[in-house]
């Protein structure tokens, strides 16, 4: 039995595993939970991040509007399933040169110490990692970009390790990056990042081809008694383009650039019509996970075909056991 080290969340969205299901992760049977035209100006809402907030949940949502501008929007929910998302993008407070809008996408949200931090892929002469914080999901204060361009998938750990903040990221290029390794960087203050360490990259084709083009961290790592449980995306290049699936890894608790286990088999991939069809077909892209330390339940939020938002479930027991069993 594995354990989540964290808070209890009795109101975590949940559905039991369907009888006869052999997969480690199963979908909510009323997916997608957020449709593409959730509000009039929205073209698509996907790759988004949610956290427990007050007696319910708050989230930062990636919405591409009908001008297909990528931006971040706040939403609230009582149950984590039915969302009320603002149709006005988040306005960032901060230095004008940093808050200047080019594009913002693929947010992650995490509570650290006394506030919620948001990281996202931020257009600043090319993609890099933006960081902001909020206390109330009303006012957002944008900090310095974490890295030089080009970078994507900046994902913070929920606590300091060895006295330092830790962030995973994936150096990239200006386009649709046909490569990608995950690195870990540390910082004393969330402004200056260094001591970069390689975590892992694409897998050899003959071992795990679904993740042979690129990899990127998904939800913020989940602390467990086995190490940091990391859900990530892996990509293969096919004759019809990229296919995005999800995998899981367990990283060392004190030296999280050290990979203890990593799945050879994917844990979820595009199989449902809403995952296979949309603005970008064949994408399942996880950006958030809610956890309940009491029951070990995990609810994963993921973008489907760059169009809508889906919800899937697992438990720490299932996912850790699967990751160890099908590791390579
Ligand atoms: C990546 C990012 C994601 C997107 C994916 C598939 O490079 O842009 O936001 O889901 O491509 O299009």
């Amino acid at each position: 039995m594995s354990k989540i080290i964290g808070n209890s969340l009795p109101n975590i969205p949940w559905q039991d595993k369907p009888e006869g299901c052999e997969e480690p992760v199963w979908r909510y049977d009323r997916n997608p939970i957020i449709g593409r035209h959730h509000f009039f100006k929205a073209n698509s809402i996907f790759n988004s991040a949610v956290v427990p907030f007050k007696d319910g949940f708050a989230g930062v949502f990636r919405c591409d509007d009908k001008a297909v501008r990528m931006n971040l929007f706040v939403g609230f929910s009582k149950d984590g399933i039915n969302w009320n998302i603002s149709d006005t993008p988040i306005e960032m407070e901060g230095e004008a040169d940093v808050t200047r809008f080019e594009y913002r996408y693929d947010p992650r949200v995490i509570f650290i110490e006394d506030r919620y931090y948001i990281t996202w892929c931020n257009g600043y002469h090319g993609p890099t990692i933006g960081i902001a914080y909020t206390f109330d999901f009303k006012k957002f204060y944008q900090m310095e970009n974490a890295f030089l361009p080009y970078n994507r998938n900046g994902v913070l750990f929920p606590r300091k390790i060895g006295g330092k903040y830790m962030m995973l990221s994936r150096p990239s290029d200006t386009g649709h990056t046909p490569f990608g390794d995950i690195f870990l960087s540390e910082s004393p203050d969330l402004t200056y990042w260094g001591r970069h360490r390689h975590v892992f990259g694409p897998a050899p084709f003959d071992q795990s081809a679904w993740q042979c083009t690129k990899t990127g961290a998904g939800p913020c790592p989940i602390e467990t008694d086995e190490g940091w449980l990391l859900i990530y995306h892996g990509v293969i290049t096919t004759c019809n383009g990229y296919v995005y699936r999800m995998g899981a890894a367990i990283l060392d608790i004190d030296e999280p650039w050290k990979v203890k286990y990593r799945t050879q088999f994917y844990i979820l991939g595009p199989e449902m019509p809403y995952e296979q069809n949309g603005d970008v077909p064949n994408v399942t892209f996880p950006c958030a996970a809610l956890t309940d330390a009491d029951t070990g339940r995990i609810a994963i939020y993921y973008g489907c075909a760059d169009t809508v938002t889906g919800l899937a479930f697992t438990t720490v027991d299932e996912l850790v056991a699967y990751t160890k069993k099908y590791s390579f």
Side-chain angles (χ1 to χ4, degrees):
M1 298 294 267
S2 310
K3 263 209 196 90
I4 290 171
I5 299 168
N7 297 328
S8 60
L9 187 63
N11 58 339
I12 189 171
W14 185 252
Q15 251 174 7
D16 285 334
K17 186 166 174 159
E19 219 160 287
C21 172
E22 286 183 296
E23 304 300 329
V25 175
W26 56 98
R27 294 167 179 80
Y28 181 54
D29 67 3
R30 274 173 286 162
N31 268 353
I33 58 165
I34 302 166
R36 65 182 307 162
H37 300 308
H38 181 82
F39 51 83
F40 171 74
K41 290 186 218 156
N43 166 70
S44 44
I45 305 183
F46 57 107
N47 301 4
S48 299
V50 311
V51 282
F53 181 66
K54 296 191 175 161
D55 58 349
F57 302 90
V60 174
F61 293 84
R62 169 179 178 175
C63 168
D64 298 3
D65 70 9
K66 284 180 178 153
V68 194
R69 293 173 297 187
M70 305 175 242
N71 212 336
L72 305 179
F73 295 71
V74 167
F76 298 96
S77 171
K78 280 267 168 259
D79 59 7
I81 293 173
N82 297 289
W83 286 90
N84 188 1
I85 302 170
S86 162
D87 65 359
T88 311
I90 293 174
E91 271 190 42
M92 297 285 178
E93 320 251 328
E95 279 195 41
D97 191 50
V98 182
T99 58
R100 167 185 137 291
F101 174 75
E102 242 177 75
Y103 50 81
R104 298 178 180 143
Y105 66 77
D106 296 0
R108 274 62 165 192
V109 183
I110 188 79
F111 185 81
I112 311 178
E113 293 159 355
D114 63 347
R115 64 193 75 185
Y116 300 88
Y117 287 94
I118 298 99
T119 54
W120 68 95
C121 178
N122 188 39
Y124 185 80
H125 307 275
T128 181
I129 306 304
I131 311 184
Y133 64 85
T134 183
F135 294 99
D136 54 10
F137 289 91
K138 287 187 192 133
K139 273 193 178 280
F140 291 79
Y141 303 90
Q142 189 168 349
M143 304 167 69
E144 295 294 325
N145 291 309
F147 306 116
L148 290 169
Y150 311 110
N151 205 314
R152 291 184 167 96
N153 297 302
V155 175
L156 287 166
F157 283 69
R159 65 166 173 85
K160 286 180 177 172
I161 300 170
K164 300 284 163 46
Y165 297 99
M166 295 275 174
M167 178 148 59
L168 299 166
S169 74
R170 209 275 303 285
S172 65
D173 61 12
T174 52
H176 296 288
T177 320
F179 60 88
D181 290 49
I182 300 172
F183 288 82
L184 181 83
S185 308
E186 63 172 57
S187 171
D189 55 8
L190 291 155
T191 298
Y192 297 97
W193 294 89
R195 287 172 53 90
H196 314 291
R197 296 281 185 278
H198 185 259
V199 183
F200 64 79
F205 193 81
D206 62 345
Q207 287 190 50
S208 187
W210 65 269
Q211 50 182 331
C212 69
T213 298
K214 54 178 166 174
T215 52
C220 296
I222 299 165
E223 187 165 8
T224 77
D225 58 351
E226 295 272 354
W228 295 100
L229 178 59
L230 176 69
I231 298 168
Y232 65 96
H233 65 264
V235 180
I236 183 174
T237 310
T238 73
C239 54
N240 284 323
Y242 293 149
V243 177
Y244 283 71
R245 294 186 175 86
M246 298 183 203
I250 298 172
L251 312 177
D252 185 85
I253 204 76
D254 299 317
E255 299 178 314
W257 59 92
K258 294 188 177 156
V259 182
K260 290 170 72 178
Y261 305 96
R262 174 179 170 195
T263 45
Q264 179 173 28
F265 289 5
Y266 59 78
I267 59 167
L268 188 140
E271 291 175 16
M272 301 300 277
Y274 55 87
E275 297 162 347
Q276 292 180 321
N277 304 294
D279 286 2
V280 182
N282 298 316
V283 181
T284 51
F285 197 99
C287 284
L290 297 172
T291 59
D292 176 24
D294 292 343
T295 56
R297 291 173 174 178
I298 300 174
I300 303 168
Y301 291 76
Y302 66 107
C304 309
D306 284 10
T307 306
V308 298
T309 303
L311 178 59
F313 306 106
T314 185
T315 65
V316 68
D317 270 340
E318 290 253 6
L319 201 51
V320 165
Y322 191 89
T323 304
K324 288 166 91 166
K325 182 166 177 190
Y326 295 106
S327 189
F328 71 110

